[in-house]
């Protein structure tokens, strides 16, 4: 198994668009030839589009794009611009009188960051398609621009989240993940002894509050900071059925469980899509296992590459403070 670039996936393009004033944005994952789609929604406060379509009992087999966006439910409007772009390219499910692009979407809550009146919309979704490229940026971009983490005790203790990408190859099988990290709880790095690297942070005292331990020690109500949600997409060149793609999405949530403490809460809308382009025959369990690893690594990438914004301190800046104090 080795790490690879997102550009190694044939037929997949990723684009970001954002508003610096609104501190929000969207990220689109395009597959012009269509990819077999799956989804698994685990959080208690989801905002999604076209997830029912991915039920194996339903008609459509392939999707043409997934949109990850900020703006809470308002951000679902970005999918309209993606549909319009794909229609101009002649891409979509043929219904005789038109081709209907199949665009799935999930949103995260970032309205408390920046100008809440500015949200991802049709124009932003269209621009994300026009910005699609082989080497997309990570960190405080696209759907990760307004993402924050560690919000169990309110915005005063929250830190900056972000968007991460991580891809793996085992033999000829390729599996990658694109995740916008915007969780209620803390972010853990399994390779650093399960230490918290981002989350509820007391800046004055310079330490993490540890959301799980505080919740277990206290019977009082916590402050959910309205809503949160970590959303992502697994991409693979594996040949999968819709049922298998749904299973991969389910297994990929193990990556959330390893790195987000707690995950899948009532205040999160945690969702993972899968897009399978179908070049390689592969064992579904192996694809799912690699997907969980890719999601785990993408989450770490998202928070470690994020930049401080609008008063929310980033992992980078905390590390700089620690390093300076150690000198």
């Amino acid at each position: 198994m080795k790490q690879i670039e997102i550009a190694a996936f044939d037929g997949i393009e990723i684009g970001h668009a954002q508003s610096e004033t609104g501190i929000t944005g969207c990220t689109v994952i395009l597959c012009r030839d269509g990819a077999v789609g799956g989804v698994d929604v685990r959080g208690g406060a989801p905002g999604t589009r076209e997830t029912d379509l991915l039920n194996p009992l339903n008609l459509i087999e392939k999707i043409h794009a997934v949109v990850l966006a900020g703006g809470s439910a308002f951000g679902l409007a970005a999918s309209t611009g993606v549909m319009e772009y794909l229609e101009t390219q002649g891409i979509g499910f043929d219904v005789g009188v038109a081709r209907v692009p199949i665009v799935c979407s999930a949103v995260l809550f970032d309205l408390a960051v920046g100008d809440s009146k500015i949200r991802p919309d049709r124009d932003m979704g269209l621009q994300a398609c026009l910005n699609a490229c082989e080497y997309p940026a990570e960190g405080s971009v696209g759907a990760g621009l307004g993402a924050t983490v560690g919000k169990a005790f309110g915005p005063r203790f929250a830190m900056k989240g972000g968007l991460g990408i991580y891809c793996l190859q085992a033999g000829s099988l390729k599996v990658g993940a694109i995740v916008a990290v915007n969780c209620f709880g803390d972010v853990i790095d399994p390779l650093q002894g399960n230490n918290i690297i981002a989350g509820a942070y007391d800046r004055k005292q310079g330490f993490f509050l540890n959301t799980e331990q505080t919740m277990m020690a206290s019977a009082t109500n916590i402050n959910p900071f309205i809503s949160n949600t970590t959303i992502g997409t697994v991409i693979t060149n594996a040949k999968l059925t819709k049922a298998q793609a749904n299973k991969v999405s389910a297994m990929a949530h193990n990556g959330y469980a390893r790195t987000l403490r707690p995950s899948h809460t009532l205040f999160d809308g945690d969702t993972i899509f899968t897009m399978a382009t179908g070049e390689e025959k592969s064992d579904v369990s192996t694809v799912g296992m690699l997907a969980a690893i890719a999601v785990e690594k993408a989450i770490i990438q998202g928070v470690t590459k994020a930049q401080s914004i609008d008063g929310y301190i980033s992992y980078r800046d905390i590390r700089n403070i620690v390093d300076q104090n150690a000198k």
Side-chain angles (χ1 to χ4, degrees):
M1 183 178 70
K2 63 179 181 180
Q3 184 182 3
I4 58 173
E5 296 287 346
I6 191 73
F9 289 83
D10 294 331
I12 297 291
E13 303 165 78
I14 299 174
H16 306 302
Q18 58 207 38
S19 166
E20 301 296 339
T21 302
I23 312 184
T24 189
C26 65
T27 297
V28 61
I29 303 100
L30 297 173
C31 184
R32 297 169 190 268
D33 293 332
V36 173
V39 69
D40 193 289
V41 182
R42 296 282 178 93
T48 58
R49 178 184 190 274
E50 296 282 38
T51 52
D52 284 351
L53 200 66
L54 301 182
N55 186 317
L57 297 176
N58 294 333
L59 173 66
I60 298 296
E61 288 292 326
K62 292 187 175 183
I63 62 177
H64 304 101
V66 169
V67 182
L68 308 177
S72 190
F74 296 108
L76 293 171
S79 300
T80 301
V82 177
M83 285 194 70
E84 291 183 12
Y85 171 81
L86 290 171
E87 185 182 25
T88 64
Q89 305 295 306
I91 296 169
F93 181 73
D94 190 354
V95 295
V97 296
R99 287 188 174 272
V100 181
I102 308 302
V103 178
C104 300
S105 182
V107 294
L108 56 81
F109 183 90
D110 59 3
L111 295 178
V113 184
D115 186 343
S116 64
K117 297 297 183 183
I118 299 176
R119 306 112 177 198
D121 57 12
R122 171 225 175 244
D123 291 341
M124 195 179 288
L126 176 59
Q127 189 60 53
C129 294
L130 296 174
N131 293 342
C133 63
E134 292 184 335
Y135 296 96
E138 298 176 75
S140 300
V141 294
L145 181 61
T148 51
V149 301
K151 292 171 279 190
F153 309 104
R156 186 162 62 95
F157 299 102
M159 281 181 59
K160 187 71 186 68
L163 182 134
I165 300 172
Y166 199 91
C167 304
L168 297 164
Q169 182 169 352
S172 57
L173 173 63
K174 301 173 186 176
V175 181
I178 304 97
V179 183
V181 189
N182 186 65
C183 58
F184 165 82
D186 302 322
V187 180
I188 309 296
D189 187 349
L191 296 183
Q192 291 188 21
N194 285 332
N195 290 329
I196 299 173
I197 61 171
Y201 183 73
D202 189 325
R203 298 188 200 179
K204 291 184 179 180
Q205 302 297 322
F207 65 86
F208 289 104
L209 300 179
N210 196 315
T211 300
E212 281 195 329
Q213 287 187 11
T214 304
M215 290 174 67
M216 287 186 285
S218 174
T220 59
N221 291 329
I222 53 177
N223 179 355
F225 191 16
I226 308 299
S227 192
N228 311 277
T229 300
T230 296
I231 50 179
T233 301
V234 170
I235 55 172
T236 179
N237 66 343
K239 185 175 182 179
L240 302 176
T241 64
K242 270 209 301 185
Q244 291 170 333
N246 276 273
K247 182 60 177 177
V248 169
S249 288
M251 292 184 68
H253 273 279
N254 290 333
Y256 282 10
R258 292 170 189 163
T259 53
L260 308 179
R261 305 280 178 87
S263 57
H264 307 132
T265 74
L266 187 64
F267 310 115
D268 291 290
D270 297 341
T271 300
I272 299 179
F273 293 98
T274 291
M275 302 176 74
T277 56
E279 288 91 12
E280 294 292 328
K281 290 184 178 180
S282 303
D283 173 68
V284 178
S285 294
T286 302
V287 178
M289 177 189 68
L290 291 174
I293 296 172
V295 166
E296 173 189 323
K297 301 289 189 182
I299 288 170
I300 303 301
Q301 291 278 96
V303 296
T304 56
K305 292 197 172 187
Q307 298 176 329
S308 298
I309 196 169
D310 199 36
Y312 293 94
I313 194 169
S314 68
Y315 166 88
R316 283 182 175 184
D317 285 348
I318 289 178
R319 287 304 312 165
N320 288 337
I321 293 171
V322 172
D323 291 344
Q324 289 172 4
N325 290 340
K327 291 180 180 179

